[in-house]
Amino acid sequence: MSRRGQPNVATGERRQVILAAALACFDEIGLAATTMEQIRDRARCSIGSLYHHFGSKEGVASALFIDGISDLNAGLLERLDHCGSAEDGVRTVVLHYGDWVTRQATLARFLLHSREIHFAPEAKAELKAIYQRHFGAVFSWFGRFVVRGEMKQLPPETYIPIISGPIEDYARLWLSGRTSTPLAEVAEVFADAAWNAVRAR
Amino acid sequence: MSRRGQPNVATGERRQVILAAALACFDEIGLAATTMEQIRDRARCSIGSLYHHFGSKEGVASALFIDGISDLNAGLLERLDHCGSAEDGVRTVVLHYGDWVTRQATLARFLLHSREIHFAPEAKAELKAIYQRHFGAVFSWFGRFVVRGEMKQLPPETYIPIISGPIEDYARLWLSGRTSTPLAEVAEVFADAAWNAVRAR
DNA sequence: CATATTCTAGAATGAAATTCTAATGTGATA
DNA sequence: TATCACATTAGAATTTCATTCTAGAATATG
């Protein structure tokens, strides 16, 4: 079998350069308002190169989105592994979100403001698979505590909004500069609230 | 004094026709993907008229957004007036949101998916004023219960995310068709969760 | 080295947002 | 009623920008 013409070694690097340039543009100018030329200028490459690697502007945004979500998710599963109680788990979900958003503020701003991306079918499928795998793992982690009666039994689709919704909402606020209190300073408040909302009492 | 050149009577109507057409387009095709021509065709008007009334595509979106938010807000203040306890108030905030989103699903979908709108400075200022007035009223309504010790004392900016964040998050999920359980069926769950998160215990 | 394939480049194309110019409608005033 | 000032409508012209196309340079494999 022929393996000729495999991706060049430098390709991954070029991709990263483009993604970084795109993120900076999206952040400063907004997704809709940045042009491919602006991305090209910042990445110091050609239009052809942009389209070769990502196919379209939405392709660039999709890749950025998927990379970001994957990083966020991976970090949570990592930390959840070291948790020993329902309360510890719930608080970790909230606090990890807060930490990640604080650490990756620019990327987080992009993720949170990008409900507008018109994902191509393949990207949509990839995202769906990522979410399924991730939330499958999270639910299987928490399941036992519900069974044991340490957490309320609720309609399954409501756990995530109840636990993550508030800090996500605040993150949007903070990232858009409409509040002065840093996310890190109020993360514990949201961790408390989440636990109070789902603990069996 | 001259009052020549006042807005024509029919103007408000034309504006509404355009906004309705735009909302339908945005909902079916997406904000980014709908063209001014599509809006024009649906509204049965000219390009010139579109630009005369709204200045740009984002102008159309901004107007739609502001109208929607105003309606949502007004409804809440109305209902809050008839509430007599902290619990009643908190539950009403959540349930009104659920009712409104259910009733105005299309408009709600637009509002929730439109973090992407690049508001012009005037629209931004108008929105800010609207938010200030609204949340001022809401906070003044709830303030006494915090003072009386019936609700937890929390950093002020955290109440809204804690109370509204979860149902808002779920609304996004439901409106985008990613969950089968209607919002109306789980609204009470979110009302419970909100009250449990902020009640003094 | 030969060759298949990836990658880069930038000009050409086409679609769509926006601008522009002219005409028409409308209400207020004399 | 006639006229004026401005609001409104219209659609052609322009501009901007995503995307496509064609060709050449680079790279990996046999």
Side-chain angles (χ1 to χ4, degrees):
Chain A
M1 80 202 68
S2 161
R3 292 195 298 157
R4 279 175 174 174
Q6 282 198 330
N8 293 348
V9 180
T11 287
E13 206 172 320
R14 167 64 57 112
R15 268 182 64 98
Q16 285 316 113
V17 168
I18 292 175
L19 287 180
L23 179 58
C25 288
F26 293 160
D27 194 53
E28 287 170 23
I29 312 171
L31 175 59
T34 74
T35 70
M36 290 301 260
E37 278 196 10
Q38 290 168 319
I39 297 175
R40 176 202 62 181
D41 289 347
R42 217 191 257 251
R44 306 179 151 285
C45 68
S46 69
I47 291 290
S49 193
L50 243 46
Y51 278 87
H52 172 75
H53 287 289
F54 298 100
S56 70
K57 192 166 111 174
E58 301 236 331
V60 178
S62 299
L64 212 45
F65 190 91
I66 287 176
D67 283 7
I69 283 287
S70 299
D71 186 57
L72 171 62
N73 286 352
L76 174 60
L77 292 184
E78 174 90 23
R79 282 177 68 168
L80 219 42
D81 254 353
H82 305 140
C83 293
S85 70
E87 177 171 5
D88 197 5
V90 169
R91 300 182 63 88
T92 294
V93 168
V94 176
L95 296 177
H96 170 258
Y97 190 88
D99 290 345
W100 190 85
V101 169
T102 300
R103 209 154 9 89
Q104 304 268 2
T106 307
L107 187 51
R109 184 154 38 231
F110 171 74
L111 293 190
L112 283 174
H113 284 227
S114 295
R115 321 225 151 252
E116 271 299 306
I117 302 176
H118 232 37
F119 294 106
E122 316 85 59
K124 206 174 279 184
E126 188 177 353
L127 257 182
K128 191 172 176 179
I130 288 173
Y131 282 132
Q132 255 171 10
R133 184 152 20 86
H134 178 68
F135 289 119
V138 170
F139 271 79
S140 108
W141 194 90
F142 277 104
R144 56 190 147 147
F145 298 109
V146 178
V147 172
R148 282 193 219 156
E150 294 175 30
M151 288 173 68
K152 279 210 185 85
Q153 172 119 35
L154 298 171
E157 314 97 312
T158 64
Y159 284 104
I160 292 164
I162 289 176
I163 294 171
S164 301
I167 195 164
E168 205 176 303
D169 208 46
Y170 191 88
R172 247 192 291 276
L173 207 67
W174 178 62
L175 288 169
S176 66
R178 280 174 293 159
T179 178
S180 45
T181 312
L183 183 56
E185 236 167 77
V186 287
E188 293 285 350
V189 173
F190 293 112
D192 293 344
W195 176 238
N196 278 327
V198 299
R199 69 189 294 185
R201 49 198 60 249
Chain B
M1 79 202 65
S2 164
R3 293 194 296 159
R4 277 177 177 173
Q6 283 195 329
N8 293 348
V9 181
T11 288
E13 208 174 319
R14 168 65 55 114
R15 267 181 65 97
Q16 284 316 113
V17 168
I18 293 175
L19 288 180
L23 178 59
C25 288
F26 293 162
D27 194 53
E28 288 170 22
I29 313 171
L31 175 59
T34 76
T35 72
M36 291 301 259
E37 277 197 10
Q38 289 168 319
I39 296 175
R40 177 203 63 180
D41 289 348
R42 207 158 188 146
R44 305 178 150 285
C45 68
S46 70
I47 291 291
S49 194
L50 242 47
Y51 278 88
H52 171 73
H53 287 289
F54 299 101
S56 69
K57 190 165 112 175
E58 301 236 328
V60 179
S62 299
L64 212 45
F65 190 92
I66 287 175
D67 284 7
I69 282 287
S70 299
D71 185 57
L72 171 63
N73 286 351
L76 174 60
L77 292 184
E78 174 90 21
R79 283 177 69 167
L80 220 42
D81 254 354
H82 305 139
C83 294
S85 69
E87 177 171 4
D88 197 6
V90 169
R91 299 182 64 88
T92 294
V93 168
V94 175
L95 295 179
H96 171 258
Y97 191 88
D99 291 343
W100 190 85
V101 168
T102 299
R103 209 155 7 91
Q104 305 268 2
T106 308
L107 188 50
R109 184 156 36 233
F110 172 74
L111 292 190
L112 283 174
H113 283 229
S114 296
R115 322 228 149 249
E116 271 298 306
I117 301 176
H118 230 37
F119 294 105
E122 316 86 58
K124 208 175 275 184
E126 189 178 351
L127 257 182
K128 191 173 175 177
I130 287 173
Y131 282 133
Q132 255 170 10
R133 185 153 21 86
H134 178 69
F135 289 120
V138 171
F139 271 98
S140 106
W141 194 91
F142 277 104
R144 56 192 147 143
F145 298 110
V146 178
V147 172
R148 285 193 217 154
E150 295 174 29
M151 288 174 66
K152 279 211 185 90
Q153 172 120 35
L154 299 171
E157 312 97 312
T158 64
Y159 285 104
I160 291 163
I162 288 175
I163 293 172
S164 301
I167 194 164
E168 204 177 303
D169 209 47
Y170 191 87
R172 247 192 291 276
L173 208 64
W174 179 62
L175 288 169
S176 67
R178 279 174 294 161
T179 178
S180 45
T181 311
L183 182 56
E185 235 168 77
V186 289
E188 292 285 349
V189 172
F190 292 113
D192 293 344
W195 176 239
N196 279 327
V198 299
R199 70 190 293 184
R201 49 199 63 246

